[in-house]
Amino acid sequence: MNIYTLEEQGFLNTGKQYWNLGVEALYEHVIRRGEGKVLKGGGLVVRSGEHTARSAKDKYVVEEDTTKDDIWWGSVNVPYSEEKYFALKRRLIDYFQNKDVYVQDLYAGADERHELPVRIITEKAWHSIFAKNMLIGKDSGAHAVEPEFTLIDAMDFYAIPELDETRSKTFIIVNFKDKTAIIGGSGYAGEIKKTIFSVMNYLLPKNGVLPMHCSANMKGDNVALFFGLSGTGKTTLSADVSRNLIGDDEHGWSKEGVFNFENGCYAKVIRLSAEAEPQIYSAIHRYGAVLENVIYDEETREMLLDEKDITENTRGSYPLEYIENAHLEKKAGNPQNVILLTCDANGVMPPVAKLSTEQALFHFITGYTSKIGGTEVGLGNEPVATFSACFGAPFMTHHPTKYASLLRERINENDSNCWLINTGWIGGGFGVGDRISIQHTRTILSAILDGSLNDAEFKEDKIFKFYVPTAIDGVPTEILSPENNWSDEEEYWKKYKKLGQQFIETFDKFKEKSDIRIDEVLPNVD
């Protein structure tokens, strides 16, 4: 018997309770219940229903007395009343009466000093596989521990906006005092992983640990971090056959080093190819991988990865062990290189720049990039330029300056090198220029990680004052100076200065609470 049962959490008269089932058993449940189909290679294809991306505008945080002074309230963390929360939670739990329920007792955080025991309760068997892929399991069978946080997810249960005071029938609500999150009206599995990430973003800074929206890899004791929003290259660039992958999306950085929050990866797979991204391509074709909204051939059961009939945001989740040479301990020492990834849809940023600590903090807190089509509800197929604090504003529960202060501490303690890599467009913005070649980006990255780029000749950028290398072996010299790739250089500088002004306006929202030395970082737009 499980010491801390569902009945103790308020669940009464449920159907069968399936505790910590393995992937093999869960596959059988998925097929029997009609939730998905097995594809060539063994991956499981599923549909997430109406929502094929995160529903960012339907996320709430309960405003209660123990945490309300800590939360960064606003459009990211929208306050929700305790009374409405408990009423909605009660109806959600009652929804499980006479319904089968799937439970996974898992952990967020590969460092035992900072791990969080979590319970994931779902109505869909495939969500249980996703949870098992993405969070860390330790034991088989029923756990004899009380979870420190519980997430309840029901794809087919909906809020009543007029009654529940939600924006729509979809909801993602976190209550830190109740140590529970509730999700309804969305089958998109990314809501599960990002809700737990938001919880870690709240808890860890209180213990002096920096939570990060980043990937990480290593070679020996050479560790690198890759910050960036979805679609900027976090997963692709960190999955490198010459290095060991620590994780592709969520990490903590303590005084002892970095550690993955998760057990697996959640990659965008639209237009994925074996040639450009062999490790990820292989991983999604294996038994146990969950493929969300991927199109496939009904007869051959082969994935049609170039097709986007349902969404541009097709996704695959799989255990980290499916990546060749992955670092399965999921933790390592302190990083030598901190890399900020931006996808510049304006086509004006250089492919790479070396940053001072202050510049790194400035670019971290402003978080300039482009949202790639389909990653959030309401986005079209074209990239949308955006500023997302800490390269992950939707998941930040404290004020961004809190994370920036922790990042400064870690960089200075370890004398980490900081870089900005642009994986966006060159020679013009989206629709005019071309996206920077992934081969060129990988060559630039190799020069960073092997240390050779430190010895390059640099020139100061006229707008942002960071330093741009004048030559890199294997990279065409002309692309290192983006102004040389525009047909109209005057138009280039006009666009670049306009972008600099947008940075200034964005930073204005944070500078009152920030200790970043403004004179060293503000763009020159005169």
Side-chain angles (χ1 to χ4, degrees), residues 440 443-444 447 452-453 471-476 480:
H440 291 154
T443 301
I444 291 168
S452 61
L453 196 55
I472 302 174
D473 287 344
V475 179
L480 297 175

Side-chain angles (χ1 to χ4, degrees), residues 164-230:
D164 299 309
E165 296 181 7
T166 52
R167 187 189 71 92
S168 74
K169 61 184 181 180
T170 300
F171 60 90
I172 306 98
I173 307 175
V174 179
N175 187 330
F176 290 107
K177 185 177 182 180
D178 191 40
K179 298 182 179 180
T180 302
I182 57 176
I183 300 174
S186 173
Y188 183 63
E191 299 289 13
I192 296 173
K193 104 181 211 82
K194 289 305 186 186
T195 298
I196 296 301
F197 183 42
S198 296
V199 172
M200 296 294 276
N201 273 314
Y202 177 76
L203 296 174
L204 289 184
K206 291 179 170 293
N207 295 319
V209 178
L210 171 65
M212 304 174 293
H213 188 214
C214 74
S215 59
N217 67 18
M218 62 189 292
K219 185 175 184 179
D221 60 359
N222 184 313
V223 177
L225 302 180
F226 305 79
F227 286 89
L229 289 185
S230 175

Side-chain angles (χ1 to χ4, degrees), residues 34-313:
E35 293 181 9
K37 295 181 180 180
V38 180
L39 299 185
K40 185 175 181 179
L44 188 70
V45 67
V46 297
R47 299 288 182 251
S48 65
E50 176 185 351
H51 289 297
T52 58
R54 288 187 300 103
S55 189
K57 293 182 180 179
D58 294 308
K59 173 189 168 186
Y60 305 89
V61 176
V62 174
E63 186 175 14
E64 40 79 19
D65 57 353
T66 67
T67 62
K68 67 179 182 180
D69 293 335
D70 297 329
I71 304 296
W72 178 36
W73 298 110
S75 60
V76 170
N77 299 294
V78 178
Y80 195 75
S81 80
E82 281 190 279
E83 178 185 2
K84 292 294 181 182
Y85 162 80
F86 283 111
L88 183 54
K89 178 187 175 185
R90 182 68 266 163
R91 296 205 326 270
L92 173 61
I93 289 176
D94 289 345
Y95 170 80
F96 282 91
Q97 289 190 43
N98 301 314
K99 287 185 172 64
D100 292 350
V101 57
Y102 295 87
V103 187
Q104 294 288 342
D105 280 333
L106 301 160
Y107 295 81
D111 187 330
E112 292 184 352
R113 291 165 293 193
H114 307 294
E115 69 183 9
L116 178 71
V118 295
R119 175 168 290 175
I120 310 296
I121 301 169
T122 66
E123 70 166 322
K124 300 296 183 183
W126 76 266
H127 276 171
S128 200
I129 300 177
F130 178 87
K132 196 171 183 66
N133 278 350
M134 299 310 301
L135 291 164
I136 298 168
K138 291 188 177 183
D139 311 304
S140 59
H143 285 195
V145 295
E146 180 176 342
E148 293 183 18
F149 208 91
T150 297
L151 184 149
I152 308 169
D153 179 278
M155 173 178 174
D156 296 330
F157 174 83
Y158 300 97
I160 304 170
E162 299 79 9
L163 174 66
D164 299 309
E165 296 181 7
T166 52
R167 187 189 71 92
S168 74
K169 61 184 181 180
T170 300
F171 60 90
I172 306 98
I173 307 175
V174 179
N175 187 330
F176 290 107
K177 185 177 182 180
D178 191 40
K179 298 182 179 180
T180 302
I182 57 176
I183 300 174
S186 173
Y188 183 63
E191 299 289 13
I192 296 173
K193 104 181 211 82
K194 289 305 186 186
T195 298
I196 296 301
F197 183 42
S198 296
V199 172
M200 296 294 276
N201 273 314
Y202 177 76
L203 296 174
L204 289 184
K206 291 179 170 293
N207 295 319
V209 178
L210 171 65
M212 304 174 293
H213 188 214
C214 74
S215 59
N217 67 18
M218 62 189 292
K219 185 175 184 179
D221 60 359
N222 184 313
V223 177
L225 302 180
F226 305 79
F227 286 89
L229 289 185
S230 175
T232 57
K234 284 197 321 302
T235 298
T236 297
L237 294 175
S238 58
D240 182 338
V241 293
S242 68
R243 295 174 67 84
N244 303 114
L245 181 66
I246 302 168
D248 83 323
D249 194 47
E250 302 172 6
H251 292 80
W253 189 357
S254 69
K255 289 183 178 295
E256 293 78 22
V258 301
F259 60 95
N260 195 347
F261 290 171
E262 300 183 301
N263 180 62
C265 303
Y266 189 47
K268 282 196 72 175
V269 299
I270 190 73
R271 293 180 291 277
L272 191 74
S273 72
E275 294 73 29
E277 297 163 293
Q279 289 190 310
I280 301 171
Y281 186 88
S282 174
I284 67 171
H285 283 82
R286 292 183 60 176
Y287 183 86
V290 177
L291 291 310
E292 274 183 277
N293 304 311
V294 170
I295 304 301
Y296 63 96
D297 186 294
E298 288 281 357
E299 293 185 5
T300 66
R301 295 296 174 96
E302 292 186 4
M303 297 183 215
L304 304 176
L305 294 174
D306 292 338
E307 300 296 325
K308 52 182 182 181
D309 292 7
I310 298 175
T311 178
E312 178 88 8
N313 190 40

